[in-house]
Amino acid sequence: MMNSLLIAFDSTQQALRAEMLLEYADIEIDICPTPKEITAGCALSIAFPASDLTEVKRIIASENVEIRGLFEKTADGYEQIH
């Protein structure tokens, strides 16, 4: 996925809940293993297009989805953006 961002989670339950909510909102997502550079309590992360960041943040906030953070892939690994 070109220019994608990543959501990391502390629990699988929250990751699966976010997956359902984002798919329902017709946001193109990929479930992927959490990169080792990101310390999170859950082995699942969700990648999504950077162009959908505003909508993803709105859904996470309005549905009270608990996330570890939003990350952007950089040359050195991942950088937290939120």
Side-chain angles (χ1 to χ4, degrees), residues 46-63:
I46 294 177
F48 65 94
S51 56
D52 288 326
L53 178 61
T54 303
E55 180 67 2
V56 167
K57 284 168 78 170
R58 186 194 65 75
I59 291 167
I60 286 169
S62 68
E63 298 293 335

Side-chain angles (χ1 to χ4, degrees), residues 30-80:
D30 272 333
I31 301 292
C32 55
T34 301
K36 62 183 181 308
E37 300 95 329
I38 299 174
T39 306
C42 174
L44 294 177
S45 286
I46 294 177
F48 65 94
S51 56
D52 288 326
L53 178 61
T54 303
E55 180 67 2
V56 167
K57 284 168 78 170
R58 186 194 65 75
I59 291 167
I60 286 169
S62 68
E63 298 293 335
N64 295 315
V65 179
E66 295 170 29
I67 66 168
R68 166 60 57 131
L70 290 163
F71 297 86
E72 182 175 32
K73 188 161 180 46
T74 64
D76 302 329
Y78 286 86
E79 186 176 308
Q80 188 160 357

